Amino acid sequence: ERIKMNVYLRRIAKRDTYTIGQLEIAGKRICDTLEDKDRGLTDRQPEDVIKRIKVHGETAIPTGTYRVDMDSVSPRFGSVAFYKQVCGGKLPRLVGVKGFVGVLVHAGNTAADTHGCILVGENKQVGTVLNSRDTFEHLYKLMAQARAKGEEITITIC
C-alpha cells in the first residue's frame, strides 16, 4: 500500500464568526488553524443539503477526509510574490469537497481572509492566527517532502 501523510485538523473552538483548530502530523502538533464558522456540515451529507446550509464565503468546509493536491497553481494566489517564492504558486488544495471549489491551505490572519479555506498560524490573539507566512512555509515544506517521497497526502478534519 502507498505510504500516506495524513494531516489531522481538530476544530477546538467553534465561534459565531470563526473556527479555531489544531493541526497535527503523525501525532506532532504543527500549528493552529483558522476557518470560517462551522455550520455542522459533514462529508456524509448530500451536496444539495450542504449547499442549502452553506453561507458563501462564511462557512467552514464539511468535516471528513480529503486528498490534498500539491500540483495546481492557485488562480488567486499563484502570482503573489510570497507564494511564487515558497511553493511556485502551487498551494495545497483539498480535492472533492462537496459544495466547495478551490479550498486551499494558505496564510492569512482573520476570518475575513479565509473564504472557506484553511488558514495556518499561531492562535495567540482571539479570533486570529499570527505568524501565518512562516507557519505556512514550515507546513508546506513538510508536505512537499512527503510528496517528493511519493506519499499521498490527505487531511482529516473533525
Side-chain angles (χ1 to χ4, degrees), residues 72-74 77-79 82-91 140:
S72 300
V73 174
S74 163
F77 296 113
S79 60
F82 168 73
Y83 294 111
K84 280 173 93 163
Q85 181 187 343
V86 172
C87 56
K90 296 178 180 180
L91 286 74
Y140 182 82

Side-chain angles (χ1 to χ4, degrees), residues 60-120:
I61 65 171
T63 56
T65 298
Y66 304 99
R67 189 172 66 76
V68 178
D69 168 24
M70 301 283 286
D71 297 317
S72 300
V73 174
S74 163
R76 183 171 169 202
F77 296 113
S79 60
V80 174
F82 168 73
Y83 294 111
K84 280 173 93 163
Q85 181 187 343
V86 172
C87 56
K90 296 178 180 180
L91 286 74
R93 185 176 62 88
L94 281 64
V95 178
V97 183
K98 285 184 197 169
F100 291 75
V101 177
V103 177
L104 303 172
V105 176
H106 65 86
N109 302 111
T110 70
D113 301 330
T114 66
H115 214 77
C117 293
I118 300 167
L119 305 183
V120 294

